[in-house]
Amino acid sequence: MRILTVGNPADSLVLRQKAAPVTGRMLRTDDYAVLRRRMLATVQDPQNTGVGIAAPQVGILRRMIAVQRFDKPGEPFEFYLNPESRSNST
């Protein structure tokens, strides 16, 4: 899958949009399984290697990320759905 970048004006417009949550219904579809496989293949591609990838980075506006876990044997990638960031306000 092509990785979108903020340096590309068209990509930047997509990346700045709010991603929708992944629903329980979506988890039971073939599209979800294909997306997982394709995201994993993209982040493990020798030309695009990284330690994580988010669905919006490949043009899918859903709240889904794959993160490599260096704290686990074999350093597997795990998928997280609907992550939220929390800011610490003072």
Side-chain angles (χ1 to χ4, degrees):
M1 300 181 88
R2 186 175 80 78
I3 297 177
L4 281 63
T5 64
V6 293
N8 176 311
D11 290 355
S12 183
L13 291 175
V14 174
L15 291 169
R16 294 176 195 281
Q17 292 182 42
K18 185 173 182 175
V22 175
T23 66
R25 174 185 239 174
M26 290 175 192
L27 297 178
R28 297 183 292 275
T29 66
D30 289 337
D31 288 344
Y32 171 73
V34 169
L35 177 58
R36 279 180 54 113
R37 285 193 302 269
R38 292 185 72 194
M39 284 176 62
L40 191 57
T42 300
V43 76
Q44 292 178 320
D45 182 326
Q47 294 181 347
N48 302 317
T49 58
V51 297
I53 193 165
Q57 288 178 281
V58 292
I60 307 297
L61 292 174
R62 292 292 174 177
R63 291 176 38 205
M64 177 175 159
I65 60 173
V67 178
Q68 190 168 15
R69 296 290 307 267
F70 293 102
D71 60 329
K72 291 189 172 184
E75 300 177 346
F77 277 88
E78 291 183 355
F79 282 84
Y80 297 94
L81 306 178
N82 304 321
E84 294 182 19
S85 66
R86 299 175 191 249
S87 63
N88 293 329
S89 323
T90 53

